[in-house]
Amino acid sequence: MRLRANPVVLAGVIGVGMPVLAAGVIAGLTIDDGDSGPDSASRTTTTPEAATPQPTSAAPTATPVATLAADPDPVGFQPDSINFVSADEGWVLGRSYPCPALLCQALRHTTDGGRTWREMPLPAPLRDAGHHGGWVKFADARNGWIGTRDKLFATHDGGTSWRETDIDIKTAEPAWSLTVSEGAVWVAAARADEQTAVFTSPITRDAWTGPIEVAVPGAGGPYPVPVVSAAGSRAWMVVTGRGRNGARMVDGTWTPWQLPCGSSGPADWHAVSEKRLVALCGLPASADGSATRVVTSVDGGVTFTETGQLSPSRSAKAVLLPADAAHLVAAVDEHLLTSTDGGETWTTAYTAPDRGWQPVSGEFVTETTGFVVLSRPGNGPVPTMMLVTRDAGQSWTPVGFG
């Protein structure tokens, strides 16, 4: 079964991290996956033999890994949002330099795992040289979406042509997210009246229904940001403002959801299956040296238990990438950490060439193949780089765009 994508988010955060669905016995390790739902069927997966992870009582020792040099100013294609539907086929939305204007947005497509790329058409509003921002998300090789501040464009021919959808997100606050599950696409948009509107459509055509009003306030923030994720017949939502609130859908009904990590909510979280959820608790920064914790639920998010720790300091810049129930990758600041035991122990698999890099987005599309984008914010155009792993996060290689 192809692995499904985690929500992508608009409002200054591009989230393309992928939930990858449950495995049973993996590399000799038995994981309780909640044994329910279409994604929780046990299977045996063979992965490349990895170095024995060392328990971490202090910050992992980061060993620099040879990679592409980071230029002071970006040159060539700079990836911002990635989405793969298989180990071979994927799309990347980004910017090309040099450019006659400040930014030149571009969409690239690969069918050989990122070894070669070709330019794809963009929706007309994105062809403006001054346009920037947005994300790309595909459900399969034909059906995909590009989201901007207040518009959603759809393709049903693999990106050859695009049309603007008639979903009414223009009346919502400029913050919304999209996810795909079980043949349907979901959109969650924050409303000014402290409601969150949820729309759905089949992935193969634009036939939107909704909105369903979900009473999830933005915790006092002026621009609440909703993140929705679906697995099977269940869905979860986290709305972030000055604080965080949540809702959970079971059997078609939304009810309040007590978030993991307390009132600050998770730094990142994933629905791995209908019953297994994994989250990072790393917000806010703490003076007491508390660790970034990994917490796991096997009852659909009703309860969570701590299953590991990342480092002795908390980080708000964290992206969690589950390859399966046992193999996890955490992008924390300029480091990529990997675990082969469900988050109990971690080792450093990659360190960016210099400090200041931060995770932007990432995904695993099979149990072994994953991608991540790092950026280095600063004055002027922001340089980014894309990395690929084909051994469940044990090693990472830069992706070039020619």
Side-chain angles (χ1 to χ4, degrees), residues 250-311:
V250 179
D251 297 328
T253 301
W254 288 93
T255 57
W257 178 33
Q258 184 175 355
L259 299 180
C261 315
S263 61
S264 63
D268 195 15
W269 60 281
H270 288 266
V272 180
S273 72
E274 285 191 329
K275 288 202 170 182
R276 174 172 283 269
L277 278 72
V278 183
L280 293 181
C281 296
L283 292 171
S286 174
D288 63 4
S290 299
T292 299
R293 298 179 295 121
V294 183
V295 295
T296 302
S297 173
V298 293
D299 55 13
V302 177
T303 60
F304 284 83
T305 57
E306 183 174 322
T307 52
Q309 295 187 355
L310 285 179
S311 70

Side-chain angles (χ1 to χ4, degrees), residues 187-383:
V187 165
R191 300 276 191 180
D193 58 0
E194 293 197 343
Q195 298 279 327
T196 300
V198 177
F199 305 83
T200 59
S201 174
I203 65 171
T204 56
R205 66 187 189 279
D206 299 322
W208 292 93
T209 59
I212 298 173
E213 301 289 348
V214 182
V216 188
Y223 296 107
V225 179
V227 176
V228 63
S229 182
S233 62
R234 298 187 178 187
W236 301 261
M237 186 189 306
V238 175
V239 180
T240 302
R242 293 192 182 97
R244 298 191 176 196
N245 291 316
R248 187 169 68 105
M249 189 199 75
V250 179
D251 297 328
T253 301
W254 288 93
T255 57
W257 178 33
Q258 184 175 355
L259 299 180
C261 315
S263 61
S264 63
D268 195 15
W269 60 281
H270 288 266
V272 180
S273 72
E274 285 191 329
K275 288 202 170 182
R276 174 172 283 269
L277 278 72
V278 183
L280 293 181
C281 296
L283 292 171
S286 174
D288 63 4
S290 299
T292 299
R293 298 179 295 121
V294 183
V295 295
T296 302
S297 173
V298 293
D299 55 13
V302 177
T303 60
F304 284 83
T305 57
E306 183 174 322
T307 52
Q309 295 187 355
L310 285 179
S311 70
S313 62
R314 294 187 176 193
S315 174
K317 303 297 182 182
V319 173
L320 180 64
L321 311 175
D324 51 47
H327 296 80
L328 309 178
V329 170
V332 181
D333 299 322
E334 66 267 25
H335 307 301
L336 297 182
L337 312 178
T338 184
S339 173
T340 60
D341 54 14
E344 184 176 349
T345 59
W346 297 82
T347 56
T348 301
Y350 175 86
T351 298
D354 47 49
R355 300 192 66 177
W357 291 88
Q358 298 173 356
V360 175
S361 60
E363 65 174 327
F364 269 90
V365 69
T366 73
E367 292 89 345
T368 55
T369 301
F371 304 85
V372 69
V373 169
L374 303 179
S375 73
R376 191 177 59 185
N379 296 326
V382 175

Side-chain angles (χ1 to χ4, degrees), residues 30 36 42-43 45 108 115 118-119 121 133 143 193 213 216 259 261 274 294 351 375 382 384 398 401:
T30 301
S36 176
S42 297
R43 64 176 180 270
T45 303
R108 301 288 184 90
R115 294 173 180 85
R118 69 185 181 97
E119 196 90 9
N143 301 286
D193 58 0
E213 301 289 348
V216 188
L259 299 180
C261 315
E274 285 191 329
V294 183
T351 298
S375 73
V382 175
T384 58
F401 292 92

Side-chain angles (χ1 to χ4, degrees), residues 8 10 81 83 91-94 105-108 120-127 131-139 143-155 158-165 167 169 176 178 185 187 206 208:
V8 286
L10 190 72
S81 175
N83 186 221
W91 290 259
V92 177
L93 184 66
Q105 197 140 19
L107 179 66
R108 301 288 184 90
M120 295 292 289
L122 279 173
L126 276 69
R127 296 173 197 156
H131 182 86
H132 62 91
W135 43 258
V136 62
K137 173 74 184 79
F138 274 76
N143 301 286
W145 301 266
I146 288 178
T148 65
R149 186 178 187 272
D150 61 355
K151 290 181 173 62
L152 180 65
F153 302 91
T155 181
T160 301
S161 63
W162 297 87
R163 67 178 297 271
E164 185 176 348
T165 68
I167 184 173
I169 59 174
W176 54 285
L178 177 149
V185 55
V187 165
D206 299 322
W208 292 93

